[in-house]
């Protein structure tokens, strides 16, 4: 409960103004003063600093509303600090460069199985990809790395499907590096200003994970380990999972259990039977999730998005049968449209969150940017 | 982002001071001014109001620290507004009167099966119990009712084990009535100032529910339906549940599936086998919950607390086998010590939360109290 110092106040107000500009593109300094309750002189001084630092752009004159002079429109600068996101998958490395408005400016995909490879080898590929994307002539404010496993701090504690454990994701790239779980990153990519604020993103890859978003924020749990949907047990006598236990959802609905889209489209009976089973087991597990969390909006990602036409039926039937609140709040299931890029996109955005949260500190250390 | 009005400021500061007094019994007005950053005159005026209204008591002189006169110690008044909590169980109505410090001052238990009875009949019993507890010569600031089902607003939408649906829990008792899910209420009863802030309370009654507490607050979901642990499917080919689906946890670990404590203590083989099964299925479902939420502290309540010595073994074995983060954060399981009273106690406390949140409004309408 100590009083805020001058520097704290300045940092807080800079972040407040950057958020207001982001949410209200085209607003003027006078409009910002009215929105935030800050004095006009304070707004002008801080906005000038954000413009000089390249975070905010002046977009031209705006019409006067009421008394006062014509103002200058402001918007988030599209040439401000970009984020680089890299997703290390079991069988690919996917990366993208994202501008401050969230748009993808460049992408890289390196296919190839990472299971047999040492972490250092794969991290060397990641570093090369980051340097390549960072060399596009725009400032880079942060790098994010999404990994298919449990993350604490910058360390990948365990990724059974890569057979990696306790890998420090330290990249020598000169800007802050954010490490996130792959499903959490993919969930962040689904957040849109006018979209739902409460949903569960199911990441159907070799492993199955979930990113749980409540009121626009990731639900990460006490240590950041939340979302391990793939290890919900759907049948205690089921097949052995990579984690050592029996009957985990992943053994029914992970990539290894799923047919190709082509086999499904051709009506191959074995493919259709596998999809029926995967959809039913997904529905069983997701009914449990919705019953526990009361977040009844589900977005299928990864392989589950590609195979959604075959999964929807059995999945929705289980939800209708098992979700206790379905009568008052019917669950909805949709397929993500982001494709393989989701995790890279989400972690690229997360990698520049520190700038949005504290633009003043970023600008004081701006020389650090790649 | 509008500026706060004078009344808002007064309400906010009154709540701030009441919280500070609650957390620091024995503090003085000068101490409060130092803690909150409010002016001494403001503190004195607001505290005088809280004392006059019976929310805060003066406890006598406190030693001077540093310069200044001797102050008067302040504490939450034990004779301030009490809460009445009533839990409507499948086979009991349990109620208690709770003082502002959280202590139980009186209790009532009415045993008897509520399954065959009309809601109006049971609510008439609830009203009589509330009036009886409210007639103890202390002010009552709120009444809470805990029910074993989905709640929205003041309506019990569905309680399959009572065979009730869409029951408006409107009691004519003259004070605000709070309606809560039974497991959520029991979870709130476990919150202690120096206890854990992240845990899952499992309420093992005829139905099995969970109250999920994260950072000291209930996780209720989008519509308040969260925590329906009993309907996690632990075996899709399992027995039919009251909800209509197959293999819900409740069919293995609800009261109907459990032996008496005496049969277990006597080593009855059937009883021990049922407990082994219940503990294993509980462990399977709770592993899923911990994997999803990363809240690795579990408190067993109700029948599960009474039978905990027999459930702990198989339950902990499943957690050790199935929780992905167990190596870095081993789950803990303990038994609640609150007994059958937990839900009534929790909802009694919740019933007076509105006073803690806004004491100024309560005092302006204090004539309303029972």
């Amino acid at each position: 409960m100590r009083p805020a110092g001058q520097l704290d106040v300045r940092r807080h107000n800079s972040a407040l103004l950057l958020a207001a500009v982001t949410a209200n593109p085209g607003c003027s300094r006078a409009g910002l003063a009215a929105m935030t309750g800050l004095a006009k002189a304070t707004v002008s001084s801080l906005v000038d600093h954000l413009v000089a630092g390249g975070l905010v752009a002046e977009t031209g004159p705006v019409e006067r509303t009421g008394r006062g002079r014509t103002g200058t429109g402001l918007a988030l600068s599209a040439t401000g600090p970009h984020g680089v996101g890299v997703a290390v998958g079991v069988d690919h490395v996917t990366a993208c460069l994202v501008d401050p408005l969230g748009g993808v400016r460049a992408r890289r995909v390196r296919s190839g199985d990472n299971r047999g490879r040492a972490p250092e080898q794969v991290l060397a590929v990641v570093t090369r990809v980051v340097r390549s994307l960072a060399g596009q002539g725009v400032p880079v404010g942060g790098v994010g790395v999404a990994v298919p496993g449990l993350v604490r701090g910058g360390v990948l504690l365990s990724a059974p499907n890569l057979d990696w454990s306790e890998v420090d994701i330290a990249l020598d790239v000169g800007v802050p590096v954010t490490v996130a779980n792959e499903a959490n990153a993919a969930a962040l990519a689904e957040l849109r200003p006018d979209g739902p604020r409460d949903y569960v993103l199911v990441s159907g890859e070799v492993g199955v994970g979930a990113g749980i978003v409540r009121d626009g924020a990731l639900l990460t749990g006490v240590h950041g380990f939340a979302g391990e949907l793939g290890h919900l047990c759907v049948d205690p006598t089921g097949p052995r999972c990579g984690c050592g236990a029996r009957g985990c959802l992943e053994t029914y609905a992970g990539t290894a259990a799923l047919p190709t889209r082509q086999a499904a489209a051709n009506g191959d009976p074995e493919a259709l039977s596998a999809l029926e089973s995967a959809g039913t087991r997904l529905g069983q597990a997701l009914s449990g999730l919705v019953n526990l969390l009361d977040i009844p909006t589900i977005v299928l990602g990864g392989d589950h998005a590609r195979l959604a036409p075959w999964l929807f039926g059995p999945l929705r039937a289980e939800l209708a049968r098992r979700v206790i609140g379905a009568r008052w709040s019917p669950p909805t299931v949709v397929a993500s449209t982001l494709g393989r890029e989701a995790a890279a996109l989400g972690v690229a955005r997360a990698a520049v969150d520190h700038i949005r949260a504290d633009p003043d500190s970023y600008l004081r250390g701006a020389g650090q940017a790649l």
Side-chain angles (χ1 to χ4, degrees), chain A residues 6 8 19 23 58 61 76 81 86 92 95 113 131 150 164 166 180 257 277 280 323 326-328 340 342-343 358 362:
Chain A
Q6 278 304 102
D8 287 332
E58 296 186 325
L76 208 57
V86 188
H92 63 99
D113 205 321
R131 291 191 186 282
L150 297 184
W164 291 4
E166 315 249 354
S277 161
T280 303
V323 171
R327 187 169 142 202
W328 300 275
R340 274 245 184 262
D358 188 0
Y362 168 76

Side-chain angles (χ1 to χ4, degrees), chain A residues 15 20 81 91 93 95 118 137 146 216 241 247 276 299 332 366:
Chain A
D91 50 8
V93 171
C241 176
E276 177 78 22
V299 184
T332 61

